[in-house]
Amino acid sequence: MSGLDVIGEPTRVPVTVCFFDEPCYPTFGQHPRDFPRVYAKPGAASMHRHGTDDALCLWQPYDPEEQRWTGSKGLLDLFEIVRTHLFMEHWWHLTCGDGGGEWLIKDAPHGLPGSRRWAVVIITATPQAGSWTWAQTTALIVPVIALVGVYVTFTLNQRAARRERRSKTFAEALTAVEEYLEMPYRIRRRPASPDARPELTDEASSLLARMAFHQAWLQIEASKVAEPYAALVAAARSEAGVHMSEAWQQTPIETDSGMNLGAAYSRDRSDAARVACIEAMRHNL
């Protein structure tokens, strides 16, 4: 990924996500995979960055799980949190930054519970009679409504983009399996050429590597889909592997009529696993 599209930014913002087996920063009792370091726009002023290494401060570590990111939610969810954070930073800069800039969404106080910095400042004022008018109220409400509209539109657009990206990821993973299941037919219809053998074996190896990549990626990106996809890959390797061995034992086809094999290779287990995998993918879009 070359960067994230952030509303208001003229170009994509490069983002670096770092996971550590043994982080050199505190994780407050959380598993390291649930507390990565995320970096973007180094050196930029912000209301919410870690002072030690300029990493983005994306959630309060003692928030309940539904209010912070965990590894089980997948990288796309993390990227959307980062995208929202960068938009909040951009708006904060536009509205005077340290001079009173606005952070458009609810954010946690700085510091940790029990520390001196953990405090919510409440500003109160007692208006004098006749000092506040409906014109002033309207002037306050209109920009707030506009800002809410901008944020809602932004959130909906990002949700649609996330769905589109995840759909593409799922489709590519399924395509790799389908191509592997087609390999027995390609081997059976191979040309009678010495070059055909290494080309087909290399392609079969490449497909195995692609399926392994998608399987690992889904474990990170959509953990609830990883297990059904692994079952699909196992079924495909079992069925297609046997059929490929049989196809290699048969002589190359030399006639046009012979290209019609007459009967399809059995793939009942793979088809059943594919249906279960697609159902899991639909629930995780």
Side-chain angles (χ1 to χ4, degrees):
M1 178 182 291
S2 59
L4 291 178
D5 291 316
V6 178
I7 289 180
E9 297 288 353
T11 59
R12 287 186 172 186
V13 179
V15 174
T16 301
V17 181
C18 299
F19 290 88
F20 301 94
D21 289 333
E22 298 181 0
C24 59
Y25 52 85
T27 60
F28 309 98
Q30 299 175 35
H31 194 284
R33 68 168 175 264
D34 297 332
F35 211 84
R37 261 330 197 225
V38 182
Y39 302 92
K41 302 183 71 173
S46 173
M47 285 179 63
H48 298 290
R49 293 203 178 205
H50 294 285
T52 54
D53 59 359
D54 199 36
L56 305 183
C57 183
L58 299 171
W59 55 82
Q60 217 286 333
Y62 293 124
D63 277 344
E65 184 172 328
E66 62 271 15
Q67 295 180 17
R68 54 184 169 83
W69 184 81
T70 60
S72 62
K73 297 178 181 178
L75 287 177
L76 286 182
D77 274 4
L78 178 59
F79 292 150
E80 294 310 315
I81 292 173
V82 174
R83 193 194 310 272
T84 301
H85 182 99
L86 292 173
F87 172 65
M88 296 301 104
E89 283 194 349
H90 181 74
W91 184 259
W92 180 77
H93 281 284
L94 290 177
T95 54
C96 297
D98 287 327
E102 297 175 285
W103 197 267
L104 289 176
I105 60 177
K106 181 180 179 181
D107 55 340
H110 292 168
L112 297 173
S115 70
R116 293 183 179 180
R117 299 181 64 197
W118 184 266
V120 179
V121 179
I122 302 175
I123 301 176
T124 60
T126 305
Q128 298 178 356
S131 63
W132 193 261
T133 66
W134 278 109
Q136 290 171 305
T137 301
T138 302
L140 176 65
I141 292 175
V142 169
V144 170
I145 293 174
L147 290 175
V148 170
V150 168
Y151 182 68
V152 169
T153 301
F154 168 78
T155 301
L156 292 175
N157 288 342
Q158 297 313 311
R159 186 173 298 172
R162 170 196 168 192
R163 181 184 177 90
E164 181 179 351
R165 286 193 299 271
R166 186 165 282 191
S167 297
K168 183 178 179 181
T169 297
F170 292 163
E172 290 174 349
L174 291 172
T175 298
V177 176
E178 289 300 313
E179 291 180 6
Y180 187 77
L181 287 167
E182 285 294 313
M183 284 302 298
Y185 298 97
R186 298 194 58 188
I187 294 171
R188 185 70 187 88
R189 296 186 176 108
R190 68 191 182 278
S193 165
D195 295 334
R197 289 190 296 274
E199 288 177 1
L200 288 169
T201 53
D202 286 348
E203 185 162 354
S205 296
S206 176
L207 287 171
L208 287 172
R210 280 175 55 195
M211 290 190 296
F213 165 79
H214 288 300
Q215 191 169 337
W217 179 252
L218 288 173
Q219 287 175 343
I220 298 172
E221 173 54 40
S223 58
K224 293 182 180 179
V225 176
E227 185 174 346
Y229 185 75
L232 172 59
V233 170
R237 293 191 62 174
S238 175
E239 290 183 325
V242 172
H243 300 323
M244 281 190 277
S245 296
E246 294 172 352
W248 281 118
Q249 299 303 316
Q250 296 175 295
T251 58
I253 297 172
E254 297 182 353
T255 64
D256 291 344
S257 60
M259 290 295 176
N260 184 358
L261 302 182
Y265 288 109
S266 173
R267 48 176 288 178
D268 295 340
R269 286 180 54 204
S270 298
D271 286 343
R274 184 176 184 273
V275 170
C277 186
I278 290 175
E279 186 64 22
M281 288 175 171
R282 283 175 177 160
H283 284 296
N284 282 270
L285 285 178

